[in-house]
Amino acid sequence: MSDRDGGREWTHPADREEPVGEPVVRADPSVTGERAREAVGFDPDDPESVQLAAETVRAFSENTVGAEDNVYMLRGAAASAALVRGVGSYKRAAERAGGDVSVSFIRKWARVHDLPQAIRRHVARGDIAPTAAKHIARVSGDARFALAWATLDGDLTVREVRRIASEINDGTPPAEALADHGVTLGQLSVRLPTELYVELRRRASLENVPPDDVLTDALTAYFED
């Protein structure tokens, strides 16, 4: 992303930075509350943990818990990723899990586990549906962030997220693909304290610029610090 003059860009790690299987988000009480105590980690280098991952993946695929539970689905995604890492391939992971577990199923959920933490936190909070996260994970680089934040700000449906992800993978720039679905990338509605709002408007008027420019300059300086 760059500022309005195109002179400043930030790099965004678009993949998971934490160890595979580690319950960084699921074990954070600020995100999952009391359920953080239930967080289960999976170690792809520990045979017993890999077996637990295999059992978790199979139960996850059969939906034995029987609920659309975001935290539960993130655990299934973690188990999928750890199982793949532990056995060496998607095919072996599917075979190890057994039942009706498919390569496609494991690949999709392992990719969700690979999403950066900033996106996974919204999945755990329930802001982004796990089924939408599967499609966000299909795209790469900054497009992941663009699609994730547009899902939040544009109130996109899972079907729309799926369609936009396909368009991006077919070569359509994220901003263009989102615009075709009525979402302006970078447009955000914010609520400010009255004092800040009045001062923002005052300074923008004195500088003969829109409030967006003042906010952009302020955020650029904040993120650079």
Side-chain angles (χ1 to χ4, degrees):
M1 301 291 180
S2 62
D3 63 18
R4 67 178 186 276
D5 296 320
R8 181 67 176 91
E9 294 189 359
W10 287 277
T11 57
H12 308 292
D15 296 308
R16 183 185 183 90
E17 296 183 281
E18 304 85 13
V20 171
E22 187 172 318
V24 176
V25 173
R26 290 177 289 121
D28 186 345
S30 68
V31 179
T32 58
E34 293 184 1
R35 296 190 62 186
R37 303 174 188 172
E38 306 169 8
V40 177
F42 302 97
D43 183 354
D45 297 319
D46 178 355
E48 290 187 4
S49 188
V50 171
Q51 179 57 33
L52 175 60
E55 294 169 359
T56 301
V57 169
R58 179 163 179 171
F60 178 45
S61 73
E62 296 171 349
N63 197 25
T64 54
V65 170
E68 287 291 313
D69 184 324
N70 290 11
V71 177
Y72 169 68
M73 288 191 170
L74 282 179
R75 183 172 65 189
S80 298
L83 181 58
V84 171
R85 180 68 62 87
V87 301
S89 73
Y90 291 113
K91 182 179 180 180
R92 289 179 181 173
E95 292 172 348
R96 181 71 175 271
D100 294 328
V101 178
S102 67
V103 168
S104 175
F105 178 87
I106 291 182
R107 180 185 293 114
K108 288 177 182 178
W109 287 106
R111 285 192 300 207
V112 169
H113 185 65
D114 188 47
L115 285 169
Q117 184 181 153
I119 297 176
R120 298 198 318 274
R121 282 177 174 266
H122 280 287
V123 178
R125 294 181 187 122
D127 303 328
I128 296 177
T131 46
K134 285 195 300 182
H135 299 297
I136 293 171
R138 288 168 48 205
V139 301
S140 59
D142 268 4
R144 283 183 164 183
F145 290 105
L147 185 51
W149 306 154
T151 300
L152 295 173
D153 299 329
D155 197 26
L156 296 174
T157 65
V158 173
R159 180 175 296 182
E160 288 172 324
V161 174
R162 180 183 63 190
R163 194 171 302 163
I164 294 169
S166 295
E167 292 172 6
I168 291 173
N169 283 334
D170 286 340
T172 304
E176 184 179 328
L178 289 165
D180 289 343
H181 290 266
V183 179
T184 301
L185 187 60
Q187 184 171 298
L188 175 68
S189 175
V190 299
R191 180 180 296 275
L192 300 173
T194 302
E195 296 80 2
L196 284 179
Y197 170 74
V198 170
E199 183 63 10
L200 170 63
R201 280 293 189 181
R202 187 186 73 83
R203 294 200 185 194
S205 178
L206 292 175
E207 296 176 17
N208 297 313
V209 297
D212 298 31
D213 287 2
V214 178
L215 286 172
T216 297
D217 289 342
L219 286 173
T220 299
Y222 177 84
F223 290 139
E224 285 180 339
D225 288 342

